[in-house]
Structures are given as structure tokens and as C-alpha cells.
């Protein structure tokens, strides 16, 4: 995180430890401590040469951090539904990290993140930055379309709960046999 200047990605109060609106309805950047916690949880899956997906990438701050963590041979993809936000995030990256775009270590796309981003799958790490009301169920088992895009040994983290209230940061680890192990990491107040 020290290698990525938050001011390039957050227009208002970039160094205050709170979420901040990004100029689009319902879109904000999470607080630095929330980003730090997410990177801490994904750290083992963001090693040199790994691949990462950031769903609801917003200003691309976290995606840029991920791209640096996976190194020259790694890849990070950010996907966001708001097309103008995607254009803004590319502009943000160009401010200090044009090399990540030139080398294709980072790719920012507009699209429905609920279905992931198959062209660069499978991923070692997936971060879902948008809050989920609930984790989808299939035959009584939690199910995401992301499971197919997550490598065995991969980790997905997501904020689950109502967008206006307390949420749970959940961690999902895909076992070598393809099964998913869920861990409730912590309860959090809504952070944007």
C-alpha cells in the first residue's frame, strides 16, 4: 500500500482512515484499514506470478496494490459495472503506474462482476468489493459463479450483509479437491 499513493485514487481526504465517495451514486472507496485487511487476508495468494480479480474495482486503488503484489509475471483484473468509473480508474492508474498498464499486469474492464471475468481466469485471489446481501445457495450449499474461476488453493473474500448495516467479512478457500471452506473473518460496520 505504501507504493500506491491513495491521492491518485481518492479525490477527497485520501489519507483519512474512512471511506470516501467517488462521485457516482452509491460508489465509494473503502477506508485504508479495510483495504489493508483485505490485502492481509489475500497476501498468501498474491505472491509473485499469481493472478487476481477485484470485483467492484471502483477507483482501482486495491487492484493496483494487487498488481504490484503479484509482480512482473502476475496479472490483476479489476471489473466494475460503471463504465465511466472504469475510464476514471484507468486515468488514476496512469498517474503513477502507467507501467502496469503498458505491461498488461493490470487490466480494468467494464462489466457485470457478478459473473467474474473468465478471459483471465483462473485466479489465485478474488476480492469482491461490493457488498452482497447474501451468498447465493445452490442445493443448500453456498455458490458463486466465481468458484469455477478460482484455482484450487485459491481464496475469495467478500463482504456479506445489508448495504445499510453490519456486514461480515467472509473468506472462502477452494480446497485441492474443489470443495469450498468458508470462514467468517469478522463483523464490520458498513464502510462504503
Amino acid at each position: 500500500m505504501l507504493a500506491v499513493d491513495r491521492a491518485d485514487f481518492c479525490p477527497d481526504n485520501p489519507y483519512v482512515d474512512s471511506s470516501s465517495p467517488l462521485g457516482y451514486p452509491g460508489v465509494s472507496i473503502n477506508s485504508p484499514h479495510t483495504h489493508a485487511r483485505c490485502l492481509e487476508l489475500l497476501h498468501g495468494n498474491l505472491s509473485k506470478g499469481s493472478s487476481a480479480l477485484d470485483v467492484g474495482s471502483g477507483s482501482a486503488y486495491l487492484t493496483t496494490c494487487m498488481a504490484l503484489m503479484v509482480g512482473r509475471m502476475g496479472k490483476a483484473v479489476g471489473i466494475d459495472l460503471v463504465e465511466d468509473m472504469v475510464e476514471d480508474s484507468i486515468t488514476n492508474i496512469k498517474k503513477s503506474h502507467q507501467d502496469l498498464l503498458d505491461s498488461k499486469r493490470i487490466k480494468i474492464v467494464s462489466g457485470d462482476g457478478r459473473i467474474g471475468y473468465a478471459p483471465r481466469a483462473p485466479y489465485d485471489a478474488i476480492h469482491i468489493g461490493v457488498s452482497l446481501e447474501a451468498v447465493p445457495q445452490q442445493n443448500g450449499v453456498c455458490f458463486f459463479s466465481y468458484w469455477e474461476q478460482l484455482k484450487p488453493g485459491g481464496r475469495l473474500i467478500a463482504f456479506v450483509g445489508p448495504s445499510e448495516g453490519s456486514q461480515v467479512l467472509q473468506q472462502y478457500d477452494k480446497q485441492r479437491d474443489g470443495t469450498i471452506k468458508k470462514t467468517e473473518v469478522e463483523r464490520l460496520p458498513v464502510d462504503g
Side-chain angles (χ1 to χ4, degrees), residues 131-172:
S131 59
L132 304 169
E133 291 288 325
V135 175
Q137 300 287 314
Q138 181 174 313
N139 299 324
V141 176
C142 69
F143 176 81
F144 279 125
S145 58
Y146 306 111
W147 296 159
E148 293 129 20
Q149 294 180 28
L150 189 64
K151 289 180 184 175
R155 175 171 288 172
L156 178 149
I157 60 170
F159 297 92
V160 181
S163 58
E164 301 295 327
S166 178
Q167 296 180 338
V168 177
L169 178 56
Q170 294 182 345
Q171 172 181 306
Y172 299 87

Side-chain angles (χ1 to χ4, degrees), residues 20-38:
S20 181
L22 290 174
Y24 298 92
V27 179
S28 61
I29 184 172
N30 278 335
S31 65
H33 80 269
T34 300
H35 281 148
R37 183 66 171 132
C38 291

Side-chain angles (χ1 to χ4, degrees), residues 92-122:
N92 294 341
I93 296 165
K94 288 179 179 179
K95 292 175 186 173
S96 298
H97 295 284
Q98 176 73 43
D99 60 308
L100 296 176
L101 292 165
D102 293 344
S103 66
K104 299 188 182 352
R105 281 172 57 189
I106 194 168
K107 181 177 183 75
I108 307 295
V109 297
S110 176
D112 185 350
R114 293 175 295 186
I115 58 172
Y117 188 71
R120 287 231 177 149

